[in-house]
Amino acid sequence: MTAKKKGSLAAASALAELPSLPMDAPSLRTAFRHYFAYNLGRDKYCRSVYYLYLALALTVRDRLIERWKNTRYTHLESKCKHSYYLSLEFLMGRTLGNAMLNLGMTDAASIALHELGVILEELSDAEHDAGLGNGGLGRLAACFLDSCATLQLPVMGYGIRYEYGMFRQRIDDGKQVEEPDHWLREGNPWEVARPEYTQRVCYGGRSEFYQTCDGRTAVRWVDTKDVLAVPYDVPIPGYRNGTVNTLRLWKAAATDEFDLGEFNAGSYPESVAAKNAAENITMVLYPNDASENGKELRLRQQYFLASASLQDVLARWKALHKNGFNDFASMNCFQLNDTHPSCAVPELMRLLMDEHGLGWDQAWEITSETMAYTNHTLLPEALEKWPVHLFRQLLPRILDIIFEINARYLREVAHRWPGDHERLRRMSIIEEGETPQVRMAYLAVAASFSVNGVAELHSRLLTEGLFRDFYELWPKKFNNKTNGATPRRWLALCNPRLSSLITDTIGDKWIADLSEVLRLSDHAGDAALRERWHSVKRQNKERLAALVKSECGITLSPDALFDVQVKRIHEYKRQLLNVLHIIHLYDRIKRGDTADWTNRCVLIGGKAAPGYFMAKLIIKLINNVAKVINEDDEIGDLLKVVFFPNYRVSALEVICPGTDLSEQISTAGKEASGTSNMKFMMNGALTIGTLDGANIEILEEVGEENFFRFGLDSAQVENLRKHYDPSGTINGDPDLARVIQLLKSSYFNMFEPGIFDPLINSITSPRDPWVTVADFRSYVDTQQLVSQSYRDKDRWSQMSILNTAHSGKFSTDRTIAEYNNEIWKLKPVQPHPIA
Ligand code: 26Q
C-alpha cells in the first residue's frame, strides 16, 4: 500500500466517526428538504411524488446506515457464531414504512411531512414492491430476516439481485397477461453496492489432477468460463433495538476477459454477446413453474448464489481466523431455503478441498455439521432433479463431488441394510434411467444435520412419505418448524387502526412479543371493545373497497361479508372449489332461494405460472363468472365477485386488514403450511379451512368454535383415491349437479364454446388428484354456517377478537427462536449504542 493511500484510508476511518443523527420532526424535515432540493435537484415544479418518496427514503436510510455500521462492528468484535439464510427468493415488498416503524420514527416523519403539506401514505405508495420471490417461500425468507434482526441474532441473508422480479399480471379479456417487472428502473435507495467484495464464480471446464508440493494428489477446476458476483447489501432493521442486519444480494457481471479475449480475436459482437450471457444469470426471477424445470439458466443461478455466498463467508473467515478451519463448523451454519441453494453442499466441499487444501474427511465433517435444510413441498412435481449430463457440462467438478458423496453415503446405507439393493436404488442421490438425474432433496438430506418441514402435519408426512427411508436411517435429523409471519409488517404496519385498538386494550408489548395478544381474550366479552373492533374492521373494509374500486372499477359494499382467497393459482389450492361455491350462490339467487341471505363479496387474487395452462384457465373462469354475476341486475349487492389483478405483498397489506373470511381450502395433505392463513388470523379474519398445513395448528390455537373447518383430512383423501367417484357424488347432490350443469351449458362462456372443458373434465374425473368435488357438500354447508354466523355481528366480532388473541404462536419471532434454539444455537448480540 502506498503512503498516500494509507493516509487517505486513515482519514476515511476518522471521517466515519459521525455524531448520531437526530430523529425529531424538525430535524427530519430539514434532512428531507435537503435531499429533495440538493441531492435530487427538485423544486416546487416537481410533478412526481416519487421524488418526495426518495427524499424521505434517503433521510431514513442515513439513520439505518449508522445502526448498520454499529451492528457490523459489534458482530466483528464479538467473534460470534453466525447463520446464513441461503435463498433464491426474498420477497421483501416495500421498505420505507417498515424501516420507519422499526426505527421508531413514523410519528416524527409524519409530523415533519404534514408541516410541509405532504401526506406520508402517498409517499409510501410511490414505492415499488421488491418482488424478488414467487410467494410463500420468498415472503417467509423476508419475515425471517425481520425476526432475526428483532431477536438480535447474527444472521445474514444471501440471495440474488434479480434485475426483473416476479412478473406483473394484467388481466385482458379475463386472461392473465405477464409483463416484465423492471423494479430497478428508477433506482433503489435501499441497497449499497459493495464491488470491493466481488467474488468469481466458475462454470464449464474440467477437473485436473495434480501433485501438491507436499506430495498429495489434489484437484483443480480448469478451463472455466468465469462470471463475477458483485454484492449489493440491503439493511434489515430489528424492531427498535439498534440492530441492523444484512441481506446480501448478488448481481452477475462479466469478467475483464470478456472484454479482452474475444475482442482481441477480432469478434467484437461475439464478445459483447458473451458478456451479455454472463450478465443474464441474474436477469430474471424464475416463476414457480413445472414447465421451467431443468432449465440450464436456473441451475446457473442456483450455483451462482451458492458459490458466491460460500466464498464470501470463507473469505471473511480466513481474514479473521489465521489458524484454519478447526472452529469453522462450531461458528457457522447455513440454512438452505428448500433445495434451490443445495449446490452449497458440493460447493463447500470443493472450496474446502480444492481452494483451502483440506482432505475429504475434514471437509465432509465441516459440511455436514454446518448445513441445515428446510423442505417446503410434498408435491412430487416440485421436487428438484437435474439431469446428470447438465451438471457434467456446466459444473463438472461439482458433479465429481456429488458422485463421491453418493458413493460414501450409499456405503452407509448398505452397511445398515446389507443386500437390500432395492433400497440402495431408492435412496441413491442419482436416479438411474434413460436420463439419469441428481435428486437435490436427497443430496440436501444426506449432507445436512437438520431437516425440517414447515408445519406439524407437513413434517410428519415427510417422515412417512418422501423421506421415510432417510428417517429410518437418521431419525434425529428430522424436525418441525412451523412457519410464521412477522407481526411488524403484518399487523403493526399494515393495520394501524387495529394496532392502536390492541395497544389501547393491552399495551404495546405485543409488537415485539406476539404471545401478549392472548391478553385480548380477557376482553373479548367486553361489548365496548367489540363495538370498536367492529368499527375498525369496517373502516379497513372501506379502504379495501376503495382499492378494489380503483383497480377493478367494481363497487363493494362494506356491509357485505368480505370473503377472500389470495395466493398463487394452483389446482391443489382449489380456487375451483371456491368458484363452485360462488356459482352455487348465484344459482340460489336465481332460483329465489334467498331467505335470510347474507350479502357476500368474494375476492380472489393470485398469479398463475406463465406455463401452467390449467391455472391460467382457472383465472379466465373466475373472471368470466365474475362478469356474468356482477352484470346481472337481479344480483345487485347479494353477491359480488372480484378477481384482484397483480396480487403482491403491498396488495395483501390492504387486503388482509379488510377481510372477514380467509379461504384456506387446499386438498388436505398438499399445502405444506400456508402463511397467509396466519396473516389473516392476526388481523382478525375467521378462517374457513381444511385440515391442511398450518390450518390444523390455527384450529388448535383458536378452538373449533372460532374456526370453520370442513372437508376430508389427509388420511381420508388418500383412502378415497382408490374408489373416487365424482360422477356419483354429482348425481347424488342436486346443488352440485346444477353447478356442473351451468358450467357444462357454457353459461359463463357463451361466446367462447368449450373453453372450460379441461377444468370440467378435470374435476369430474375419478383421477382428479385434488378431489375437489368430494369436499363440495361439506364446503357449501360450512359456508352456509359462515353466512349465518356473520349475521350476528356481535358474536362475529367476538370470534374475530379471539382469532387475533390466539395468533401469538404464528409470529416468526417464535419460529426463529425455535430455529435458533434447536438448529443454529446463536447468542443474541446487542450492538454498542450509537456513538
Ligand atoms: C423451482 C424450479 C424452477 C423454477 C422455480 C422453482 C420454484 C420456485 C419457487 C419452486 C418452488 C417455489 C416456491 C415454493 C413455495 O412458495 N412453497 C410454499 O412455501 C411456503 C413457506 O414455507 C409454505 O407456506 C407453502 O405451503 C408452500 O407452498
Side-chain angles (χ1 to χ4, degrees), residues 89 134-138 140 286-289 292-294 298 302 338 340 375-377 382 384 386 454 483 572-573 670-675:
E89 305 190 5
N134 274 280
L137 166 150
L140 184 74
Y286 268 88
N288 171 12
D289 193 334
E292 297 291 348
N293 279 343
R298 170 79 179 176
Q302 295 186 348
D338 215 302
H340 313 157
N375 173 286
H376 295 264
T377 186
E384 274 197 298
W386 291 101
V454 290
N483 283 167
Y572 85 80
K573 295 179 188 278
K670 299 299 171 192
E671 188 70 272
S673 160
T675 43

Side-chain angles (χ1 to χ4, degrees), residues 203-209 219-224 392-393 396-397 400:
Y203 296 97
R206 60 194 166 83
S207 303
E208 184 177 86
F209 291 81
V219 184
R220 60 186 159 220
W221 187 2
V222 297
D223 296 338
T224 52
R392 185 171 291 121
Q393 177 201 317
R397 178 65 185 131
D400 291 344

Side-chain angles (χ1 to χ4, degrees), residues 582-648:
I582 293 170
I583 297 174
H584 164 69
L585 291 181
Y586 177 65
D587 175 56
R588 275 186 57 192
I589 301 171
K590 294 304 259 186
R591 288 186 295 108
D593 175 15
T594 53
D596 296 325
W597 189 262
T598 300
N599 291 357
R600 220 185 246 257
C601 300
V602 187
L603 186 146
I604 302 177
K607 293 174 182 174
Y612 188 173
F613 170 77
M614 292 292 263
K616 291 183 124 175
L617 198 53
I618 291 169
I619 292 179
K620 172 70 173 154
L621 176 63
I622 297 166
N623 278 285
N624 278 26
V625 169
K627 190 164 176 353
V628 168
I629 293 178
N630 298 338
E631 289 178 1
D632 187 332
D633 292 335
E634 273 181 67
I635 304 301
D637 275 346
L638 295 182
L639 180 61
K640 282 272 188 311
V641 181
V642 175
F643 185 85
F644 188 96
N646 198 32
Y647 172 60
R648 61 201 185 281

Side-chain angles (χ1 to χ4, degrees), residues 124-331:
S124 301
D125 270 345
E127 182 173 356
H128 203 299
D129 280 35
L132 307 185
N134 274 280
L137 166 150
R139 183 55 230 178
L140 184 74
C143 286
F144 277 5
L145 294 183
D146 182 81
S147 284
C148 289
T150 295
L151 297 175
Q152 304 196 297
L153 298 176
V155 175
M156 197 169 158
Y158 275 109
I160 291 183
R161 181 181 178 275
Y162 300 105
E163 208 67 43
Y164 292 87
M166 188 61 197
F167 65 82
R168 247 180 307 136
Q169 177 194 58
R170 201 161 48 75
I171 300 299
D172 187 356
D173 187 29
K175 299 191 199 96
Q176 167 172 301
V177 179
E178 301 91 21
E179 290 173 345
D181 166 44
H182 198 190
W183 70 292
L184 291 167
R185 188 162 36 211
E186 294 174 295
N188 174 14
W190 306 112
E191 65 181 14
V192 176
R194 299 208 187 276
E196 66 273 32
Y197 298 114
T198 294
Q199 301 294 339
R200 179 178 272 261
V201 177
C202 304
Y203 296 97
R206 60 194 166 83
S207 303
E208 184 177 86
F209 291 81
Y210 69 101
Q211 296 293 311
T212 60
C213 34
D214 54 345
R216 286 181 306 114
T217 303
V219 184
R220 60 186 159 220
W221 187 2
V222 297
D223 296 338
T224 52
K225 294 213 165 49
D226 301 355
V227 177
L228 300 180
V230 184
Y232 286 71
D233 287 356
V234 180
I236 309 291
Y239 183 70
R240 300 189 191 175
N241 62 8
T243 293
V244 176
N245 283 345
T246 301
L247 167 60
R248 178 160 284 185
L249 300 176
W250 298 103
K251 173 189 161 82
T255 58
D256 290 345
E257 292 95 271
F258 279 99
D259 297 330
L260 301 171
E262 299 274 297
F263 183 46
N264 287 349
S267 51
Y268 174 68
E270 280 86 345
S271 135
V272 175
K275 192 177 159 85
N276 258 319
E279 298 183 348
N280 264 341
I281 292 175
T282 54
M283 200 54 71
V284 57
L285 166 75
Y286 268 88
N288 171 12
D289 193 334
S291 73
E292 297 291 348
N293 279 343
K295 292 279 171 76
E296 179 188 323
L297 182 60
R298 170 79 179 176
L299 184 58
R300 276 186 194 271
Q301 289 184 337
Q302 295 186 348
Y303 180 67
F304 182 77
L305 169 67
S307 181
S309 309
L310 289 170
Q311 290 186 63
D312 194 50
V313 171
L314 293 186
R316 256 197 318 275
W317 177 266
K318 286 277 274 200
L320 286 172
H321 302 83
K322 303 293 175 216
N323 56 349
F325 287 91
N326 288 334
D327 300 328
F328 186 84
S330 62
M331 298 295 282

